[in-house]
Amino acid sequence: MQAKEIVVPTSAISMLRKPDPLSDTQMTVSMGPQHPSTHGVLRLELVLDGETVIRAIPDIGYLHTGIEKTMEKEKWQQVVTVTCRMDYLNSSGNDLGYVLAVEKLMGVEVPKRVRDIRVLLTELNRITSHLVWFGTHAMDIGAMTAFFYAFTQREKGLDLFECVSGARLHQSYFVVGGVRWDLPPNFLDLMTEFLDGFPSFLDECKRLVTGNKIFQRRTKGVGVISKEAAIDWGLSGPTIRGSGVDWDIRKSEPYSGFDTYDFNVPVYHDGDVWSRYLVRMDEMEESWKICKQAVERLREPGPYMSDHPKLKLPERDLMKKHIDVMIHHFLLASEGFTVPVGEVYQSIESARGEIGFYVVSDGGERPYRVRVRAPSYVNLSALPAMVEGSLIADVVAVIGSIDIVLGDVDR
Amino acid sequence: MSILKEIVSAVKEVIEVARTTAQGMSVTLSHIPTRKETVSYPDDAVTIYRRFRGEHFLDVNEDGKERCVSCFLCAAACPADAIYIEGAEDPRPYAERIGMDHRYAKVYQIDYGRCILCGFCVDACPTDAINHGHNFEWAVYTPGELVKDKSYLLANKWREPDVIPTDKQLPLAAKQKQDKLNIILK
């Protein structure tokens, strides 16, 4: 008897095809939405032939929060309280994207200290986000211990966020025109303490997971996506840098003063899970380098908010003494400010890739429309191209390697 | 010959896997004598930073009069519409009334089912009446219990570890007696 030939489709059109009902070897399996390795509520419809994945169809929408619509209801300054709830692992990055977009539309220049605070916190957030990825990715593949060490370090990073902004995950610390409060006096020392302990932790990770032969055999040559395909799918972030494309918004379109920092963009060329793993591990080291430089720059005091009269709430002492300042405070706190008519696109490099904010203003006190280009959503769309033809156990590794956050996918 | 080569490579592979696994194991073993990072929470106090945005408390001034003048600015600044206020007038002289101004909040409710703890109400308040406390233990059985009223929010002030009532505040604090929070402020 002749073995049946399996045709493995790799194009997006394959998603539209139904499984062959007459085939006795194919089977459709639902993976998720409650599967621990799907990192949230992602459902994958897998068509299997034995253990081989013929087709994978991601089914999203289980975590739809309507955040883009909610933004239209909030005032310009209040929107930062919902942006951080989209990609909850990289919340300050989301805030930064929105805040930069509105500042671009208003033509506001922020002080140098504000830019450095923003760089420091987004890079710290990149580290904590990658630590979650590192822990869960290793655990998906079967290495349990790495998870605990990664989360121990992440706790220390989140404590720093609590120290500076009052919240561990949903900071809402960046606002249009600056940051809400100045850094606490002991923050830079705590930050230095964290940064000093970080290289030895990374070294441990390398001995624990990177050097592990079993981990390498589970990841090398798995979930390959070529350079051309990665560009065609519109991937961004570590996922595209693992395919050999040197594309980083921090370098190509520098924002918030990233062009004044000295760092490298790690690029690996194999396009498999292992390459993406190495990119993220190296990125943590680069983020550590940027944080180090930012801490040194923040040693000297300066203004934490731009002097724009419509953005900065008045000094509290003045506000309590003078009635006209009080009236100004009331207007700012209740009505907020207006933004000139226009539309703007601003993208930044979040931990997952290019997160872009397309903000439209009709001159009112609320955004007319905010559209978010979410990196997880675009990266997830390439999942079928990566897993079709591989084994079902590799699907878990590939989902871990593109590091999706379902809050970011569904918004 | 080729079979021999395969056996040799397989043995090499096994040795390599065993070596790298042992290397990882050495990391795990090296962690055993180090200090524990976990806190056995309900028994031990957790460390919390001062800026932590926890459950709010409504402040009173040094004479024990409520600071809230019912200006509705916190409700206007709230992105989640979590604050409900009913204002009223209290024409009595300063010594007798409960607020520090003629105007006071008859009803002041925060719905913690809606509140997102962003702190915009605290930034907006012109009289420093509403503040973020450090309480985070608020598990309840029904959503209705998440709506906290004024007396609860006023009593929250005395739960803060570093708040010591002044002489004039003492009778009020004794009336609203609450256990101190089991936290260490850093």
Side-chain angles (χ1 to χ4, degrees):
Chain A
M1 204 176 120
Q2 208 175 0
K4 212 173 175 183
E5 198 186 333
I6 301 166
V7 184
V8 181
T10 48
S11 66
I13 301 156
S14 74
M15 284 186 194
L16 302 171
R17 282 193 224 138
K18 289 262 182 323
D20 182 6
L22 294 176
S23 164
D24 51 354
T25 54
Q26 289 188 4
M27 183 171 66
T28 309
V29 174
S30 256
M31 186 172 161
Q34 303 294 335
H35 195 277
S37 76
T38 53
H39 294 224
V41 279
L42 167 70
R43 179 171 160 265
L44 285 175
E45 202 177 308
L46 298 175
V47 181
L48 304 175
D49 190 325
E51 271 202 86
T52 314
V53 179
I54 309 277
R55 207 153 49 238
I57 305 165
D59 183 10
I60 59 168
Y62 289 91
L63 202 62
H64 182 67
T65 42
I67 280 179
E68 282 183 15
K69 191 71 189 166
T70 312
M71 287 174 184
E72 295 168 22
K73 177 243 161 197
E74 306 290 3
K75 280 163 247 170
W76 288 104
Q77 201 70 286
Q78 290 175 343
V79 172
V80 288
T81 60
V82 285
T83 48
C84 52
R85 279 159 170 84
M86 290 189 305
D87 181 354
Y88 40 81
L89 292 182
N90 189 58
S91 37
S92 65
N94 298 354
D95 289 353
L96 182 63
Y98 167 76
V99 160
L100 286 177
V102 179
E103 278 167 6
K104 206 180 194 181
L105 200 52
M106 295 179 79
V108 175
E109 272 292 311
V110 293
K112 185 180 166 298
R113 185 177 167 82
V114 172
R115 290 205 294 271
D116 290 334
I117 292 177
R118 285 174 175 178
V119 166
L120 175 64
L121 289 181
T122 44
E123 288 309 308
L124 178 63
N125 216 169
R126 191 185 309 276
I127 290 177
T128 57
S129 172
H130 280 358
L131 285 175
V132 176
W133 157 81
F134 173 72
T136 51
H137 185 39
M139 197 162 73
D140 286 346
I141 288 175
M144 187 87 183
T145 324
F147 178 80
F148 296 115
Y149 296 152
F151 267 60
T152 308
Q153 282 295 316
R154 176 172 179 258
E155 280 301 303
K156 291 175 184 167
L158 293 186
D159 275 352
L160 291 170
F161 279 117
E162 188 186 319
C163 174
V164 68
S165 70
R168 294 153 59 78
L169 285 177
H170 303 310
Q171 295 110 12
S172 329
Y173 180 61
F174 303 156
V175 287
V176 180
V179 293
R180 277 171 72 182
W181 311 288
D182 203 358
L183 297 175
N186 60 345
F187 174 71
L188 290 180
D189 298 336
L190 292 169
M191 187 79 204
T192 315
E193 198 182 311
F194 171 78
L195 291 176
D196 286 348
F198 196 68
S200 66
F201 163 76
L202 269 186
D203 195 46
E204 258 178 12
C205 290
K206 279 173 191 158
R207 279 194 291 152
L208 195 63
V209 178
T210 313
N212 193 307
K213 199 79 187 169
I214 302 171
F215 185 82
Q216 288 178 11
R217 291 195 61 167
R218 280 295 307 276
T219 52
K220 274 183 184 168
V222 170
V224 180
I225 188 154
S226 68
K227 188 174 177 175
E228 291 74 26
I231 294 171
D232 287 350
W233 279 103
L235 305 185
S236 55
T239 318
I240 200 169
R241 290 197 284 277
S243 295
V245 184
D246 188 358
W247 173 250
D248 190 316
I249 314 281
R250 289 175 294 176
K251 286 280 189 197
S252 59
E253 292 160 34
Y255 55 89
S256 200
F258 264 109
D259 42 345
T260 59
Y261 286 85
D262 173 34
F263 66 101
N264 302 320
V265 178
V267 177
Y268 286 85
H269 297 272
D270 292 342
D272 53 1
V273 175
W274 175 245
S275 292
R276 297 193 275 275
Y277 171 85
L278 290 177
V279 167
R280 289 206 178 84
M281 291 309 274
D282 287 4
E283 245 181 38
M284 278 199 263
E285 215 168 306
E286 298 300 325
S287 291
W288 175 82
K289 257 167 48 184
I290 299 173
C291 284
K292 274 274 186 199
Q293 296 167 38
V295 166
E296 286 315 310
R297 294 184 193 189
L298 287 169
R299 294 267 178 216
E300 45 191 278
Y304 63 92
M305 191 81 189
S306 108
D307 260 343
H308 196 290
K310 280 285 181 189
L311 296 179
K312 193 175 191 235
L313 284 178
E315 298 287 335
R316 293 197 79 83
D317 302 340
L318 275 177
M319 183 258 291
K320 284 174 187 171
K321 273 183 207 147
H322 304 290
I323 184 69
D324 47 346
V325 185
M326 175 83 92
I327 291 167
H328 184 60
H329 176 88
F330 263 68
L331 278 175
L332 281 193
S334 59
E335 281 181 2
F337 52 87
T338 56
V339 171
V341 181
E343 41 198 85
V344 72
Y345 179 77
Q346 171 73 43
S347 63
I348 66 157
E349 184 76 19
S350 90
R352 262 151 279 284
E354 174 184 352
I355 183 160
F357 284 82
Y358 190 86
V359 180
V360 184
S361 167
D362 59 353
E365 61 200 27
R366 291 175 166 83
Y368 179 75
R369 175 85 167 94
V370 182
R371 154 82 189 146
V372 184
R373 187 256 188 227
S376 298
Y377 178 71
V378 181
N379 290 354
L380 178 64
S381 66
L383 180 74
M386 291 182 200
V387 298
E388 278 171 357
S390 61
L391 297 178
I392 187 167
D394 294 339
V395 175
V396 173
V398 174
I399 294 175
S401 79
I402 56 176
D403 190 21
I404 46 166
V405 166
L406 266 295
D408 197 23
V409 173
D410 292 341
R411 301 188 300 292
Chain B
M1 269 314 275
S2 68
I3 296 171
L4 197 66
K5 258 185 191 169
E6 265 181 36
I7 291 172
V8 167
S9 75
V11 168
K12 265 186 186 167
E13 185 81 33
V14 168
I15 290 171
E16 185 67 7
V17 166
R19 190 185 66 77
T20 51
T21 311
Q23 193 187 34
M25 200 65 196
S26 73
V27 175
T28 315
L29 290 175
S30 71
H31 268 270
I32 289 176
T34 55
R35 192 176 62 85
K36 264 191 209 162
E37 301 281 353
T38 46
V39 180
S40 37
Y41 154 59
D43 300 329
D44 296 346
V46 280
T47 308
I48 281 183
Y49 288 92
R50 275 184 192 281
R51 275 190 187 177
F52 179 72
R53 304 198 294 255
E55 197 175 43
H56 302 86
F57 67 83
L58 282 177
D59 207 354
V60 291
N61 69 1
E62 54 277 8
D63 299 334
K65 307 285 177 198
E66 288 169 19
R67 281 180 183 276
C68 179
V69 293
S70 178
C71 71
F72 290 79
L73 202 53
C74 48
C78 182
D81 298 336
I83 303 178
Y84 175 77
I85 310 170
E86 275 178 31
E89 292 287 335
D90 190 357
R92 290 178 292 174
Y94 182 77
E96 291 169 30
R97 63 180 182 233
I98 56 167
M100 66 176 195
D101 197 80
H102 285 294
R103 199 168 160 74
Y104 75 106
K106 197 169 72 181
V107 178
Y108 194 106
Q109 287 178 341
I110 298 180
D111 184 353
Y112 284 100
R114 292 192 68 91
C115 177
I116 55 172
L117 298 166
C118 61
F120 280 156
C121 51
V122 179
D123 287 354
C125 185
T127 57
D128 296 333
I130 189 164
N131 288 283
H132 271 299
H134 297 90
N135 183 24
F136 55 86
E137 299 173 346
W138 45 24
V140 288
Y141 286 101
T142 57
E145 290 171 66
L146 283 169
V147 182
K148 303 295 186 194
D149 58 0
K150 196 173 86 171
S151 58
Y152 178 90
L153 294 170
L154 280 166
N156 257 349
K157 178 179 166 77
W158 315 114
R159 300 192 71 186
E160 291 301 309
D162 54 348
V163 168
I164 301 155
T166 62
D167 292 343
K168 284 188 175 170
Q169 289 171 347
L170 260 180
L172 193 72
K175 210 163 72 184
Q176 299 170 336
K177 186 85 181 91
Q178 286 277 332
D179 293 337
K180 287 275 181 195
L181 295 173
N182 184 23
I183 54 170
I184 301 162
L185 279 185
K186 195 171 167 187

